[in-house]
Amino acid sequence: DGLGSPGRVADVGILGDRVAAIGDLSGARAGLRRDVTGLAVVPGFIDVHSHAAAATPEASGIFRHPLAENYLRQGVTTVIGGPDGSSALPVGEFLARFEATPAAINFGTMVGHNTVRRAVMGNADRAPTPAELDSMRALVDRAMRDGAFGLSTGLKYVPGAYAATDEVVDLARVAARYGGLHKSHMRDEGLEILASVDETIRIGEDGGLPTQLTHHKVIGKYMWGQSAETLRRVDAARARGVDVSIDQYPYTASSTSLTILFPAWSLEGTQDDLVARLRDPATRARIHRAIVFNLERDRGGGDPANVAVAYAAWDTTLNGLNLAQILERRGRPVTVAHAAELAMDLQEQGGFQGIFFAMDEGDVERIMQHPMTMIASDGGIPTFGRGVPHPRNYGTFARVLGRYVRQRRLLAFEDALRKMTSLPAQRFGLAGRGVLRPGAVADLAVLDAATILDRATFADPHQYAEGVVHVFVGGQAVLLDGLVTGARPGRALRRGE
């Protein structure tokens, strides 16, 4: 049922967009009947950290690929977009567009602090004036009235990196008035992770709203094992009444822009401003030193081979190569210093979406087992076959059930389901979703617990997960007998509805 209870054998009946009955329905009439003996009928999975609305080529998005097959084949029926401080704005216009051209899955969104700040201040590295802060408050207020589920922050990214904690707390209080929550790509997930966890907790505590460590991870081998302390701090905050939770994807590599290796001060303004800095010898040397540090001790994992190109729009021959391989092809020594120089050269030409191998499996497993951790992909809806994106786009939920439940026995099947269904539904106020009981919304997945598995790999990511047989959204079959039906019953979800 998604609540962590043991499974039981029963028939499930759907009428309209609701679960009508659960029990012995052998005498009931039905327009569509499927024998699912031996399979698991579960609530549809809810991905609370989705880039499904992204417009970049490697995450083409829900309007370009409304059938969302990569999600359906994992059992996902609902996604929450607008993560990491980046969202559509105005939220109301975006949701109206979705209602006019719906998808196979449901969609809701956060309002992004970075998007709001950029709309008011551009990429300026300074504190807002009182008038600018008022303008940001007004934009958050409008987004919450339009149905946003809360405020997302990306304090690692510009311009959020330029914001003081008090600025975020101020905007979080606006979201709190509407019952929203705060969800943060923290300011740092490496050497400063403990201070960043404290900051995320403080935003919730001072802002008066639930707060969430999103895609929680520990970056860089110097910090591996620190998840024990980050989780201790979460537990301590919860013990004193702060409503803190976590989401996570089950991989030891992250994926983001190449600029994650650059110091935040160098990214102020536009790409042209960055290029101008890179062409000034003294400034370039400063940036080079910072990138060397990040390659050695942060996202680079100490080796140029740990930074791979997922998608470079300006030169697709780079896709799938890592910095060490590119250096070799160009006849340059494979050193961290040369990799930093290469990163600057590549960014001047347009940069790329990258994959960064700098995490430890022990931290992944420890975070996954925490009772307040829910599963979320941090993926989107890629164009099938384009680039070499992170396999999380295709495999996150199936990977948890196949690898960590069935193979590793790290989680019980029922608990893993809870982390994908009722826990995110409760967290985000999705009434009637994330549970399987009479009266609930008929967002359902039918899967084979004995075979479900992710097929996507870092080398070959464009592979759909296996083991999901049927998926229903709002009572309509969107995946039936393993085939996508083409139905698009997804709803635009708004906070409080």
Side-chain angles (χ1 to χ4, degrees):
D1 60 8
L3 296 171
S5 309
R8 64 188 179 97
V9 177
D11 300 327
V12 177
I14 298 171
L15 185 62
D17 68 347
R18 299 283 164 166
V19 175
I22 299 176
D24 182 358
L25 306 180
S26 57
R29 295 191 306 167
L32 176 70
R33 186 184 295 272
R34 284 295 183 274
D35 182 352
V36 296
T37 302
L39 303 179
V41 183
V42 301
F45 302 149
I46 299 169
D47 186 349
V48 298
H49 186 127
S50 173
H51 293 272
T56 54
E58 69 278 0
S60 299
I62 205 161
F63 292 114
R64 186 170 180 180
H65 304 294
L67 298 182
E69 186 170 359
N70 64 311
Y71 274 123
L72 296 186
R73 293 194 177 279
Q74 297 179 67
V76 174
T77 56
T78 295
V79 299
I80 303 295
D84 301 328
S86 180
S87 71
L89 203 68
V91 165
E93 291 182 10
F94 181 89
L95 294 177
R97 179 186 174 195
F98 182 87
E99 288 175 324
T101 56
I105 58 176
N106 306 305
F107 184 91
T109 186
M110 308 290 285
V111 59
H113 167 240
N114 287 10
T115 300
V116 166
R117 197 179 210 268
R118 189 176 294 114
V120 174
M121 300 174 58
N123 278 341
D125 185 0
R126 60 174 175 81
T129 66
E132 288 169 336
L133 188 57
D134 281 343
S135 295
M136 286 193 278
R137 289 191 194 102
L139 288 175
V140 174
D141 186 89
R142 168 67 186 276
M144 294 302 299
R145 286 188 283 112
D146 283 347
F149 283 85
L151 177 73
S152 82
T153 53
L155 300 178
K156 181 67 175 178
Y157 300 119
V158 299
Y162 307 139
T165 309
D166 286 343
E167 174 186 319
V168 180
V169 168
D170 196 293
L171 299 178
R173 287 173 177 153
V174 177
R177 293 202 298 265
Y178 295 89
L181 75 160
H182 166 250
K183 181 159 68 80
S184 185
H185 178 130
M186 299 188 300
R187 203 174 291 270
D188 193 274
E189 296 172 317
L191 296 175
E192 300 299 323
I193 189 171
L194 299 181
S196 296
V197 169
D198 290 344
E199 180 182 38
T200 305
I201 291 169
R202 183 197 154 195
I203 291 167
E205 192 164 19
D206 293 356
L209 76 176
T211 189
Q212 183 151 316
L213 286 62
T214 202
H215 55 42
H216 188 35
K217 65 179 81 70
V218 179
I219 292 289
K221 61 184 178 182
Y222 296 95
M223 298 301 289
W224 288 353
Q226 286 295 318
S227 58
E229 177 59 20
T230 67
L231 297 178
R232 189 199 68 76
R233 295 184 184 209
V234 167
D235 290 338
R238 291 184 60 79
R240 67 173 187 268
V242 187
D243 191 356
V244 189
S245 57
I246 300 164
D247 65 67
Q248 176 204 40
Y249 54 81
Y251 298 88
T252 55
S254 60
S255 182
T256 188
S257 167
L258 172 62
T259 53
I260 199 78
L261 297 176
F262 285 63
W265 60 263
S266 71
L267 303 175
E268 183 180 14
T270 66
Q271 166 73 1
D272 288 342
D273 294 324
L274 173 58
V275 169
R277 294 183 186 108
L278 291 173
R279 292 178 179 175
D280 174 73
T283 308
R284 186 182 184 91
R286 285 183 63 201
I287 296 172
H288 182 267
R289 288 193 295 272
I291 295 175
V292 166
F293 181 88
N294 286 331
L295 285 171
E296 288 179 339
R297 302 183 70 87
D298 199 82
R299 294 270 169 170
D303 187 341
N306 287 335
V307 179
V309 180
Y311 189 81
W314 53 276
D315 185 358
T316 57
T317 66
L318 297 175
N319 295 345
L321 299 178
N322 60 53
L323 294 185
Q325 291 169 323
I326 298 171
L327 286 170
E328 289 172 348
R329 290 190 176 197
R330 297 185 177 188
R332 296 163 67 179
V334 179
T335 66
V336 169
H338 282 94
E341 192 66 37
L342 174 63
M344 293 189 293
D345 291 343
L346 296 176
Q347 186 59 42
E348 281 192 71
Q349 297 173 79
F352 59 78
Q353 181 76 8
I355 296 177
F356 303 81
F357 296 85
M359 297 153 61
D360 180 64
E361 179 69 14
D363 288 311
V364 171
E365 294 188 355
R366 185 180 294 112
I367 292 168
M368 188 180 295
Q369 290 179 295
H370 193 276
M372 290 306 297
T373 296
M374 57 202 77
I375 305 304
S377 74
D378 194 16
I381 307 177
T383 297
F384 193 88
R386 177 179 287 177
V388 190
H390 198 297
R392 66 193 184 192
N393 293 280
Y394 292 92
T396 291
F397 294 84
R399 181 176 178 82
V400 170
L401 295 176
R403 174 178 170 81
Y404 293 98
V405 172
R406 189 174 65 249
Q407 296 175 353
R408 299 273 296 125
R409 302 190 180 214
L410 189 76
L411 299 173
F413 182 73
E414 294 85 356
D415 190 38
L417 289 179
R418 182 187 68 86
K419 291 172 175 290
M420 302 173 179
T421 57
S422 66
L423 180 58
Q426 292 163 2
R427 195 69 180 154
F428 284 75
L430 299 172
R433 301 180 195 273
V435 293
L436 181 50
R437 63 189 176 203
V441 177
D443 292 346
L444 308 176
V446 182
L447 58 91
D448 189 340
T451 65
I452 189 168
L453 192 68
D454 61 312
R455 307 301 302 176
T457 65
F458 287 102
D460 187 8
H462 294 286
Q463 299 187 75
Y464 293 122
E466 295 179 354
V468 176
V469 182
H470 312 299
V471 176
F472 294 82
V473 172
Q476 295 188 43
V478 291
L479 186 75
L480 193 64
D481 300 320
L483 299 175
V484 175
T485 67
R488 292 162 58 177
R491 288 188 52 199
L493 303 180
R494 294 173 175 84
R495 180 81 190 178
E497 289 188 351

